[in-house]
Amino acid sequence: MASVVGVASENQWFKGRVKAVTSGDCLVITALAQNRPGPPPEKTITLSSLIAPKLARRGGIDEPFAWESREFLRKLCIGKDVIFKVDYKVEAIAGREFGSVYLGNENLAKLLVQNGWAKVREPGQQNQDKVSPYIAELLQLEEMAKQEGLGRWSKVPGAAEASVRNLPPSAVGDSGNFDAMGLLAASKGKPMEAIVEQVRDGSTIRVYLLPEFQFVQVFVAGLQAPSMGRRPTQETVVEPDVTSAPNGDASAETRGPLTSAQRLAASAVSSVEVSSDPFAMEAKFFTELRVLNRDVRIVLEGVDKFNNLIGSVYYSVGETVKDLGLELVENGLAKYVEWSANMMEEEAKRKLKAAELQCKKNRVKMWANYVPPASNSKAIHDQNFTGKVVEVVSGDCLVVADDSVPFGSPMAEHRVCLSSIRSPKIGNPRREEKPAAPYAREAKEFLRQKLIGKQVNVQMEYQRKISPADGATTSGAGDSRVMDFGSVFLPSATKGDAAEAAAATTGVNIAELIIARGLGTVVRHRDFEERSNHYEALLAAEARAIAGKKGIQSAKDSPAMHITDLTVASAKKAKDFLPSLHRSRRISAVVEYVLSGHRFKLYIPKETCSIAFAFSGVRCPGRGEPYSEEAIALMRRKIMQRDVEIEIETVDRTGTFLGSMWEGKTNAATFLLEAGVAKMQTGFGADRIPEAHLLELAERSAKNQKLKIWENYVEGEEVVNGGSKVETRQKETLKVVVTEVLGGGRFYVQTVGDQKVASIQNQLASLSLKDAPIVGSFNPKKGDIVLAQFSLDNSWNRAMIVNAPRGAVQSPDDKLEVFYIDYGNQETVPYSAIRPVEASVSSAPGLAQLCRLAYLKVPSLEEDFGPEAGEYLHTVTLGSGKEFKAVVEERDTSGGKVKGQGTGTELAVTLIAVDDEISVNAAMLQEGIARMEKRKRWEHKDKKEALDALEKYQEEARKSRTGIWQYGDIQSDDEDSVPVRKPGRG
């Protein structure tokens, strides 16, 4: 028995499979196998000697029992293997072939007649040879069916009328009477029962929607099969008439007239033949073999502008439900189409896209000659590492320090962009970028709290070359560069994370957490573009975020936040913030950036401001100097983006706040000192620094181990107070003359040999001073720098106006109080002794430096022995005309700017005359006109040794009852000697 349907002679049996049932007596049968490419051959067989009721055309009326007849035959044999033979042909009706078909051992014609769904046509006198070989049996079965009232022979009253379908107008070619949008609104997402009547191409089917029998055209959502082309002759849009002509009768009924819409559509068809695309016939046959004349379920996804329905088509094979669209794409017979896929659910879209990508990679069927486009991404293989997160650059970019590289090394840091996701951009005003996008700060802060300092597993996945045409990158750099992308996993997940990300053996995917919280979106990659190995999980997380309306997936705006950035503001504005930052002893802050080893950018949440902050008394090598990069890398590992606490002492002239910082319970400066990448500045005033003794111990440890900057360290000695030998190699020593003596052990000095002094003196000498200004033409105000005539020697010197008359000057005798900024004197002079000064002269800082005797408490002029102390200091310094060596022990900047006598930065010094054996400090103790300040429990070694040396001079005065000790020990010294001036509170 032949198994291939070919050009067959009558009475030869063939095997085939029923592809379609067009009516109650007509089948389309395809071959089971073939020996040439493309769809197998097929035959349309009308059952011999049978006449089934006629099915209506679209929008017409059936003959009674026509639908039931077709359904009986369709359900009986569709998709099943049969054997058949051609009994005869009728050339008068286009050579239609009539035959006998067996399903197993059952003759289909006999089954139809036996159940009353077809009548037998008796042979006419002219066509005696064109009858079924089984005509006699068929006539007997028909008679029995009539007697039993089966099928179309039903004797039930009204049965014939009830079986007639009055079909609604067809929506194919003329959708004017069809409300596609209404159907979509009522049925979107809900499966609708349908029967496929025609397959136009692999991705377009025409179906009856049950139970109304609305005839519609449906495009399979998310894909497009190859085009079937166009025939050269004009054709109507209506599908071929599938009703059978009278069996063996050449006088078949002609088609009805075309509607106006059909004529319009037909006229639009080009007369030019367009051939079909490759694999078009194969795609169409693929669809026919699975759904033609089958029961399907259609889930509407949308409607196009031509009222065509777009939906997903599902059919059953046994107990299994299959997706027609997905099968077409998986078999390389359709391509993914974005515009209609966007109507579908995310999961369905992902499957289609992934299936197409796999076909392209394997070059299946229509993708056989596919050439991937050039990509700017390249896969990274076998580059996994573990490390600690040092910095969160943004919601999709981290800096991780590799554990396999020595701790603190700049080479340890890897910048890792999270694969296949994109978070809102942070923006950088310094690079003229736009402000932070909504939820950008939230994404960055989420990762900071989750990851900073935590151990993570990193799987590098691909590199991508980023150019300015791609838009601003994570860091905002304009030049093209290569960025590394990977997946970062947190090994230990919290309970809340487990619900948002699927935990793998490597931990929780951080990118998945970002997406699930609505703090980022998944990148839609182009074909063959490298992507995350966990791309499907990211898409699933995004779908959950969209469903939960989280973050950027919601309609809500992110909370607005205005942060005052004092790092780019003026120094004056920074100083204005100082009182508010002093109100709390310790302030919580976040380290935003490590500017250098000892200088940082901090964010203070309570004040919503960012500040520049530096350690008091600790300095690292400057940029470009040895170990500067190591210091920066170390502090990035230790405190970058950590929560810290700070105590602010003051602010310098550049607007940088100075103070101490703690990470947890550890003073952050000890990290630098212990590693040997920083030094203490003892001249800063170590007694004013909290936990100074811990810093000294850390520095001593580095010195003993000769680490980094101490690798060539050799202990040295320098003569200071009282001739004692104390270790110090970092103290600043100045050669000075004393220019003014105040009370309480305070005085002004001017540096000897300073080029600035000579320059200022030369400028003043070159000035030609004019007559006194006309009253009202020059009105100096407080803080102005002018020239003033000193009353004792009539010399002209630079001076600052300390007090001036309110309003305009009225008379040459009006008095103004001035402070001579180069000498430290202050007096009141008349307006006539004032002259304006050029900016070139006034702009240079004052040459007079305020000092006090270190480690001493000297009585003020109002206290007992205060005048004696002042007179003694004046005699041994200003009155002696000697030059002195001033060793700077501490530097007190809390006085702020110079506003007059006794204000501004104050140096605590040990003052030693060039030809004297002991210091002025020791001499005043010896004379009993000063006493030592109260000693603290913890002291810097240098200071402790200096105090020990001074104490013998105080003890000598006490024993001899000299000066303040004349009545024995003086009152209890509960307060600190020479109290440290605290910054003002506003």
Side-chain angles (χ1 to χ4, degrees):
M1 183 178 292
S3 60
V4 177
V5 179
V7 179
S9 60
E10 296 178 5
N11 296 320
Q12 182 179 359
W13 289 94
F14 298 94
K15 289 181 179 180
R17 181 170 295 133
V18 178
K19 185 182 85 170
V21 177
T22 58
S23 68
D25 58 4
C26 186
L27 307 91
V28 178
I29 303 173
T30 65
L32 296 178
Q34 62 173 339
N35 53 11
R36 57 187 174 88
E42 61 184 42
K43 273 188 175 294
T44 300
I45 299 296
T46 303
L47 298 177
S48 301
S49 300
L50 294 191
I51 301 175
K54 292 181 181 179
L55 288 167
R57 294 186 179 88
R58 318 308 174 204
I61 299 176
D62 286 340
E63 289 185 355
F65 300 104
W67 179 253
E68 288 83 351
S69 174
R70 202 288 288 266
E71 283 298 277
F72 174 83
L73 185 58
R74 182 182 73 84
K75 293 178 180 180
L76 183 66
C77 64
I78 190 70
K80 295 180 180 178
D81 292 348
V82 295
I83 57 174
F84 70 97
K85 70 180 182 70
V86 176
D87 295 327
Y88 54 90
K89 288 185 181 180
V90 178
E91 298 296 339
I93 48 176
R96 180 175 295 181
E97 296 179 317
F98 296 83
S100 300
V101 181
Y102 275 81
L103 177 65
N105 296 322
E106 299 287 345
N107 186 315
L108 292 183
K110 293 180 181 179
L111 289 174
L112 278 166
V113 174
Q114 182 179 344
N115 287 276
W117 297 119
K119 66 180 180 179
V120 181
R121 183 180 183 278
E122 296 183 8
Q125 292 182 354
Q126 298 179 353
N127 297 308
Q128 291 290 334
D129 57 336
K130 299 186 184 306
V131 295
S132 170
Y134 311 101
I135 185 65
E137 295 178 65
L138 293 175
L139 290 172
Q140 291 178 4
L141 292 171
E142 181 183 45
E143 192 61 33
M144 293 173 58
K146 288 180 179 179
Q147 293 177 2
E148 296 177 15
L150 299 177
R152 65 183 297 170
W153 314 114
S154 175
K155 300 175 182 178
V156 178
E161 292 77 4
S163 68
V164 175
R165 296 181 307 157
N166 188 357
L167 300 179
S170 170
V172 177
D174 185 3
S175 58
N177 297 322
F178 174 58
D179 184 9
M181 292 302 298
L183 179 64
L184 176 66
S187 305
K188 182 172 176 60
K190 302 175 184 177
M192 297 186 300
E193 300 296 329
I195 297 177
V196 179
E197 291 296 306
Q198 286 183 2
V199 175
R200 182 172 173 268
D201 58 44
S203 58
T204 309
I205 59 175
R206 294 171 178 175
V207 303
Y208 275 131
L209 297 179
L210 303 179
E212 291 83 7
F213 290 99
Q214 175 67 61
F215 191 64
V216 296
Q217 182 164 272
V218 178
F219 293 95
V220 182
L223 57 103
Q224 181 180 338
S227 170
M228 290 294 296
R230 197 162 46 222
R231 295 181 182 178
T233 57
Q234 293 186 352
E235 296 182 303
T236 63
V237 179
V238 179
E239 68 286 346
D241 183 13
V242 296
T243 57
S244 298
N247 201 301
D249 190 350
S251 60
E253 182 179 346
T254 59
R255 296 171 182 256
L258 298 177
T259 66
S260 58
Q262 290 166 347
R263 285 196 300 271
L264 181 63
S267 65
V269 178
S270 171
S271 59
V272 179
E273 180 176 4
V274 178
S275 61
S276 62
D277 293 338
F279 298 99
M281 293 297 297
E282 189 172 343
K284 180 181 179 183
F285 179 74
F286 183 92
T287 299
E288 287 176 337
L289 205 59
R290 283 155 178 77
V291 299
L292 183 59
N293 286 160
R294 312 289 181 100
D295 294 304
V296 296
R297 285 181 297 164
I298 297 175
V299 178
L300 289 185
E301 309 288 0
V303 173
D304 68 10
K305 62 182 179 180
F306 301 109
N307 263 6
N308 291 309
L309 300 177
I310 299 168
S312 300
V313 180
Y314 301 92
Y315 68 97
S316 298
V317 178
E319 298 296 324
T320 305
V321 177
K322 297 199 173 185
D323 182 346
L324 174 64
L326 183 60
E327 285 196 309
L328 282 165
V329 175
E330 286 177 337
N331 286 274
L333 296 172
K335 65 180 179 180
Y336 176 83
V337 178
E338 188 75 32
W339 70 268
S340 64
N342 287 336
M343 302 177 183
M344 307 169 67
E345 293 182 354
E346 287 299 319
E347 181 67 21
K349 285 175 60 177
R350 284 199 301 274
K351 288 182 178 179
L352 285 179
K353 188 66 177 173
E356 183 190 58
L357 182 61
Q358 192 60 42
C359 283
K360 287 179 177 178
K361 289 180 177 179
N362 297 335
R363 290 182 166 79
V364 178
K365 297 192 183 300
M366 63 183 292
W367 305 112
N369 299 318
Y370 177 75
V371 178
S375 174
N376 61 352
S377 59
K378 181 176 69 173
I380 299 177
H381 302 289
D382 302 324
Q383 290 191 22
N384 302 337
F385 65 93
T386 61
K388 284 189 178 180
V389 177
V390 173
E391 179 184 358
V392 174
V393 181
S394 65
D396 55 13
C397 185
L398 310 171
V399 176
V400 183
D402 191 343
D403 287 342
S404 63
V405 181
F407 184 89
S409 169
M411 300 299 295
E413 294 188 3
H414 295 275
R415 191 184 186 97
V416 181
C417 299
L418 299 180
S419 298
S420 299
I421 75 166
R422 183 176 292 119
S423 282
K425 290 177 59 179
I426 285 289
N428 190 333
R430 291 187 176 185
R431 298 192 181 102
E432 299 182 356
E433 295 178 5
K434 294 180 180 179
Y439 293 99
R441 294 189 183 278
E442 288 83 349
K444 181 177 179 180
E445 181 62 13
F446 170 73
L447 287 189
R448 187 189 74 82
Q449 294 183 2
K450 181 74 65 178
L451 296 180
I452 282 296
K454 300 290 182 63
Q455 195 78 11
V456 294
N457 300 319
V458 181
Q459 295 179 357
M460 301 309 299
E461 291 166 332
Y462 60 92
Q463 290 181 331
R464 186 181 176 200
K465 188 175 182 180
I466 305 295
S467 64
D470 297 323
T473 58
T474 306
S475 67
D479 298 332
S480 62
R481 69 187 193 283
V482 175
M483 299 178 67
D484 294 336
F485 291 80
S487 293
V488 178
F489 298 88
L490 187 63
S492 56
T494 62
K495 184 177 181 181
D497 295 337
E500 294 179 334
T505 55
T506 50
V508 174
N509 190 340
I510 296 303
E512 195 174 340
L513 284 182
I514 283 285
I515 297 299
R517 294 204 173 203
L519 299 175
T521 55
V522 180
V523 176
R524 266 52 183 183
H525 293 283
R526 292 173 294 180
D527 292 338
F528 286 89
E529 193 172 59
E530 297 297 334
R531 63 196 67 198
S532 169
N533 296 334
H534 311 275
Y535 194 69
E536 296 298 321
L538 295 178
L539 291 172
E542 185 177 50
R544 294 196 300 271
I546 293 172
K549 296 182 178 179
K550 295 183 178 180
I552 59 178
Q553 309 296 354
S554 68
K556 299 178 182 177
D557 293 331
S558 61
M561 179 181 293
H562 175 72
I563 297 176
T564 303
D565 191 351
L566 297 179
T567 63
V568 296
S570 64
K572 180 180 182 304
K573 188 170 184 180
K575 291 177 181 178
D576 291 341
F577 266 76
L578 185 60
S580 63
L581 297 178
H582 268 150
R583 292 192 185 104
S584 302
R585 181 169 175 79
R586 285 201 180 185
I587 306 169
S588 296
V590 177
V591 180
E592 284 193 328
Y593 199 75
V594 177
L595 302 172
S596 68
H598 63 268
R599 191 165 178 268
F600 318 97
K601 181 179 180 182
L602 306 182
Y603 169 62
I604 303 177
K606 184 178 179 181
E607 303 292 337
T608 61
C609 68
S610 295
I611 66 171
F613 177 89
F615 290 136
S616 293
V618 176
R619 288 296 176 268
C620 296
R623 286 192 179 271
E625 296 180 4
Y627 305 112
S628 64
E629 294 301 320
E630 285 84 344
I632 293 173
L634 175 65
M635 295 312 283
R636 283 174 62 83
R637 288 290 294 266
K638 290 291 188 180
I639 65 170
M640 180 70 176
Q641 293 187 334
R642 308 285 181 97
D643 293 311
V644 297
E645 288 186 324
I646 59 172
E647 280 188 18
I648 291 178
E649 297 173 16
T650 186
V651 60
D652 67 14
R653 62 182 181 179
T654 66
T656 299
F657 291 84
L658 305 177
S660 300
M661 177 193 297
W662 290 265
E663 198 277 316
K665 296 183 179 180
T666 305
N667 191 313
T670 60
F671 299 142
L672 293 165
L673 295 168
E674 288 175 345
V677 291
K679 295 180 179 180
M680 285 194 68
Q681 286 191 336
T682 55
F684 189 90
D687 60 319
R688 298 173 55 243
I689 304 173
E691 300 181 350
H693 63 289
L694 296 179
L695 303 184
E696 293 167 2
L697 289 173
E699 184 182 55
R700 172 54 51 196
S701 173
K703 286 180 177 179
N704 293 338
Q705 298 177 66
K706 296 186 181 297
L707 298 177
K708 306 292 184 181
I709 61 176
W710 304 111
E711 60 185 350
N712 298 319
Y713 171 72
V714 178
E715 292 191 7
E717 295 180 342
E718 185 176 341
V719 177
V720 291
N721 295 300
S724 66
K725 305 281 186 179
V726 295
E727 180 189 277
T728 173
R729 295 179 59 84
Q730 303 176 51
K731 293 181 180 179
E732 181 182 7
T733 301
L734 306 173
K735 188 176 182 181
V736 299
V737 293
V738 178
T739 58
E740 178 70 357
V741 175
L742 311 179
R746 304 170 79 205
F747 52 94
Y748 278 92
V749 300
Q750 195 178 84
T751 305
V752 176
D754 191 339
Q755 293 298 322
K756 294 179 182 177
V757 176
S759 175
I760 293 296
Q761 290 174 343
N762 291 335
Q763 285 181 304
L764 292 175
S766 65
L767 295 176
S768 79
L769 300 174
K770 299 179 180 178
D771 295 335
I774 300 173
V775 174
S777 65
F778 168 54
N779 291 298
K781 57 183 181 295
K782 187 175 181 178
D784 285 353
I785 302 297
V786 297
L787 288 179
Q789 191 174 33
F790 186 45
S791 59
L792 293 183
D793 60 6
N794 293 326
S795 63
W796 290 91
N797 301 281
R798 296 191 304 165
M800 174 185 288
I801 302 296
V802 177
N803 280 307
R806 293 186 178 180
V809 175
Q810 302 295 326
S811 165
D813 297 326
D814 283 356
K815 302 299 183 182
L816 297 92
E817 188 174 6
V818 297
F819 168 64
Y820 295 101
I821 61 175
D822 295 326
Y823 296 94
N825 318 66
Q826 186 160 311
E827 66 174 349
T828 300
V829 298
Y831 177 73
S832 59
I834 299 292
R835 299 287 188 274
V837 66
E838 295 177 0
S840 61
V841 177
S842 64
S843 60
L847 302 177
Q849 173 62 59
L850 178 62
C851 298
R852 63 177 170 85
L853 295 173
Y855 311 137
L856 302 189
K857 182 175 182 182
V858 181
S860 67
L861 294 176
E862 293 77 23
E863 296 177 323
D864 291 342
F865 294 95
E868 290 85 344
E871 181 64 27
Y872 179 85
L873 184 59
H874 183 278
T875 300
V876 300
T877 57
L878 191 61
S880 69
K882 294 180 179 181
E883 293 182 358
F884 292 85
K885 181 172 62 175
V887 180
V888 180
E889 309 287 355
E890 300 172 3
R891 187 183 298 268
D892 183 1
T893 60
S894 61
K897 286 184 177 180
V898 175
K899 298 179 181 178
Q901 194 175 60
T903 63
T905 299
E906 183 179 271
L907 304 181
V909 300
T910 295
L911 195 64
I912 310 169
V914 174
D915 55 353
D916 286 351
E917 294 183 359
I918 66 171
S919 66
V920 174
N921 309 51
M924 292 193 71
L925 289 173
Q926 195 175 42
E927 294 293 328
I929 51 178
R931 57 193 173 103
M932 292 175 59
E933 64 183 34
K934 185 179 179 181
R935 302 187 72 156
K936 297 180 180 179
R937 183 177 180 182
W938 295 100
E939 300 285 5
H940 188 282
K941 184 178 180 181
D942 290 353
K943 183 175 180 180
K944 181 177 183 299
E945 292 180 354
L947 291 173
D948 289 343
L950 289 173
E951 193 165 11
K952 68 180 183 179
Y953 295 99
Q954 177 173 283
E955 192 63 26
E956 181 182 333
R958 181 189 287 117
K959 289 179 179 179
S960 62
R961 300 290 181 94
T962 304
I964 59 177
W965 308 106
Q966 60 182 330
Y967 301 114
D969 285 348
I970 57 176
Q971 62 192 17
S972 175
D973 190 6
D974 290 332
E975 76 282 2
D976 286 342
S977 294
V978 191
V980 176
R981 185 182 296 108
K982 296 295 182 183
R985 294 184 178 272

